[in-house]
Amino acid sequence: MDQVKEVLRYHHYAYRTEVTYCQWIVRYIHYYGGKTHPREMGRQQVEAFLSNLVGKKNVAASTQRQALNALVFLYREVLDMPIEGEMMPIRSKKKVHPPTVLTKEEVQGMFLKLKGTHLLMAKLLYGAGLRLMECIRLRIQDVDFGQNKIYVRGGKGGKDRLSVLPQNIRDELRFHIDRVIVQHHEDLVEGFGAVYLPHALDRKYPNAARETGWQYVFPAKKRSIDPRSGREMRHHVLETGLQKAVKRAVTQSGIHKKAGCHTLRHSFATHMLENGINIRVLQTLMGHADVKTTEIYTHVMKKDIDAIESPLDQW
């Protein structure tokens, strides 16, 4: 497993991906008793393991695909034994669900139940169409008040993109960042102030980790030990805090929909289309590789649905 971690870091995989892949590899080994080395197994054993996930564990298609990716990485990159031929495990059926979307009134009602930093983060999710971790990992230098833009670095698939900075929270966000800068200066005085930098930038630019621009917009309250370098740093906040706050706000505002942080991103896209934005522009703002992904929001637009009359109403 040390070798697996070493190869994952060599290929610059995210820390969360490293943890997830290691968990699946361990589960795969334990499935066969924990005594057989993966080198002594192959395609047949991988197929059986993946089929068991569906047949006995009843996992979703995305979960099975995640396990498959981890094992393909193990055999191809770590053991140098690429799995030959196409694997044919029992496939979990992928279900297509229309996205859950909140109305503008529901979003406003939910915001009334949030406060402080959680409210500001939720407004960013909705106002800029950010994913949860894109918001959590936002750096100070990524917020451009001069051009009213937000730079999303290393989004889904490692892609960068631009999004809009909502004018409604411009002053609030600037005040929040000013407080973060004061906290950062206090860390520097105490001999700390470094932050995690991606892609070994800390070796290329030794002083960059302590620069203000690289600090997280939403830093944790306390410093912690970085799991890779072992250094004491101030990381970003945990995403679970915002997730719980949004869930609680949805319940308290009387919204009986399965809504969470990602629902705010869905609502951003749908409301932008309802306001007449070009779908190609929205595709760029959302960071979708294929416009077909963006087109799913056309199926839940309020204008299109409102124009439909039920046959029962025609009696």
Side-chain angles (χ1 to χ4, degrees):
M1 295 310 300
D2 289 339
Q3 186 182 359
V4 171
K5 293 177 183 178
E6 183 180 340
V7 177
L8 281 164
R9 293 175 187 181
Y10 173 80
H11 288 283
H12 303 295
Y13 278 78
Y15 179 71
R16 291 172 180 271
T17 306
E18 176 186 318
V19 173
T20 302
Y21 275 24
C22 288
Q23 289 174 344
W24 278 118
I25 292 170
V26 170
R27 285 183 62 175
Y28 170 65
I29 295 172
H30 285 174
Y31 179 74
Y32 289 103
K35 297 181 180 180
T36 306
H37 195 281
R39 189 180 295 278
E40 301 174 20
M41 298 185 283
R43 182 165 62 89
Q44 184 177 354
Q45 285 75 19
V46 172
E47 284 182 351
F49 173 72
L50 295 174
S51 298
N52 178 72
L53 291 178
V54 176
K56 298 291 180 65
K57 305 296 184 181
N58 198 28
V59 302
S62 57
T63 304
Q64 187 189 43
R65 187 166 58 251
Q66 188 182 72
L68 172 61
N69 292 339
L71 297 179
V72 167
F73 177 87
L74 169 68
Y75 280 97
R76 184 184 62 211
E77 304 294 345
V78 181
L79 301 178
D80 197 21
M81 296 172 52
I83 299 175
E84 301 293 340
E86 183 180 358
M87 284 186 288
M88 301 293 291
I90 299 174
R91 297 280 184 179
S92 180
K93 292 184 178 179
K94 185 176 181 179
K95 300 177 182 178
V96 179
H97 301 285
T100 300
V101 175
L102 301 177
T103 65
K104 294 179 181 178
E105 294 73 22
E106 288 173 333
V107 173
Q108 291 172 355
M110 191 195 74
F111 284 169
L112 291 175
K113 302 299 180 181
L114 291 167
K115 59 182 180 180
T117 306
H118 287 153
L119 175 59
L120 178 59
M121 295 167 77
K123 285 181 177 179
L124 266 176
L125 294 179
Y126 173 69
L130 301 183
R131 297 180 178 91
L132 173 62
M133 293 311 299
E134 290 172 349
C135 175
I136 296 290
R137 293 170 177 159
L138 202 63
R139 312 266 184 164
I140 292 177
Q141 64 185 7
D142 297 333
V143 182
D144 189 339
F145 289 102
Q147 298 189 63
N148 296 316
K149 297 287 189 298
I150 291 178
Y151 293 84
V152 180
R153 312 286 187 185
K156 190 174 182 180
K159 295 178 291 186
D160 297 350
R161 73 176 192 278
L162 274 174
S163 190
V164 295
L165 172 61
Q167 293 298 297
N168 187 278
I169 62 170
R170 180 186 172 92
D171 294 337
E172 185 181 356
L173 183 58
R174 188 188 291 273
F175 178 72
H176 171 82
I177 290 177
D178 287 341
R179 286 186 300 165
V180 172
I181 293 174
V182 171
Q183 183 186 57
H184 172 57
H185 288 165
E186 292 174 353
D187 283 346
L188 289 174
V189 171
E190 295 176 14
F192 299 98
V195 71
Y196 166 76
L197 296 183
H199 308 308
L201 286 176
D202 55 339
R203 293 200 297 270
K204 188 175 182 180
Y205 306 107
N207 297 323
R210 288 182 169 80
E211 292 178 2
T212 301
W214 279 104
Q215 305 305 308
Y216 289 110
V217 173
F218 301 106
K221 291 183 179 180
K222 297 181 180 179
R223 295 188 296 265
S224 58
I225 303 299
D226 181 71
R228 288 185 171 177
S229 66
R231 298 163 60 191
E232 185 173 338
M233 299 180 175
R234 190 178 294 277
H235 205 47
H236 57 64
V237 295
L238 287 174
E239 68 276 15
T240 52
L242 178 58
Q243 289 173 322
K244 291 176 182 177
V246 168
K247 282 287 187 181
R248 186 163 53 248
V250 168
T251 302
Q252 291 176 351
S253 57
I255 299 174
H256 303 295
K257 295 179 180 178
K258 188 179 179 181
C261 291
H262 206 67
T263 309
L264 294 173
R265 175 175 158 88
H266 291 324
S267 302
F268 162 84
T270 306
H271 296 165
M272 290 287 272
L273 284 174
E274 291 173 352
N275 291 338
I277 190 174
N278 184 284
I279 194 168
R280 288 291 183 177
V281 176
L282 181 61
Q283 177 190 358
T284 302
L285 292 175
M286 297 291 284
H288 292 157
D290 194 333
V291 73
K292 290 182 179 179
T293 308
T294 316
E295 287 175 352
I296 192 172
Y297 298 109
T298 62
H299 303 309
V300 289
M301 286 175 59
K302 195 171 186 296
K303 289 182 180 178
D304 289 348
I305 296 176
D306 287 350
I308 300 174
E309 185 178 13
S310 168
L312 184 63
D313 296 330
Q314 297 174 351
W315 286 10

